[in-house]
Amino acid sequence: MTSQKLVNRHVRSLMRIALSLGLMLGSGLGYGFVQTAFNSQQHEQSAQAELGRFGRAEYEQLKPGMTLTEVRSILYRGVEVSRSATTATFVWSNSDGSKITATFEHDRLKTKEQSGLK
């Protein structure tokens, strides 16, 4: 076998190894990104529970026209459940299942609803 054929064979072998490593590493990185996103969502939900409960008194403090920042100063972060070009809807949940749903239009509180607050 000539030295050129031997070099070509080694190059092809190295390329296969590099491709295999790339696929394995890429799959692992993809899994890591998914796990990180999943864990951060769980962390956000657990942080919401740790920050404290809210009740009817906090709900009554929410007034039409308030900004999201103003609402969050009362209810904490919340979870964005939908968004369009002009509206966004957030939900705040307590561990007992009670919740507040607020819709913002042009970054201002438009509507609010509550379920099970005491």
Side-chain angles (χ1 to χ4, degrees), residues 46-93:
S46 66
Q48 173 80 27
E50 291 172 13
L51 287 173
R53 289 181 40 88
F54 52 84
R56 188 169 292 277
E58 288 78 16
Y59 176 77
E60 296 301 330
Q61 292 178 42
L62 307 180
K63 304 296 180 200
M66 292 177 84
T67 65
L68 178 58
T69 301
E70 292 170 325
V71 171
R72 283 180 167 164
S73 72
I74 298 167
L75 299 177
Y76 308 105
R77 187 166 175 80
V79 177
E80 184 175 324
V81 294
S82 70
R83 179 173 287 275
S84 72
T86 59
T87 63
T89 302
F90 288 80
V91 174
W92 289 264
S93 300

Side-chain angles (χ1 to χ4, degrees), residues 31 35 110:
Y31 176 77
Q35 286 299 102
K110 180 75 173 177

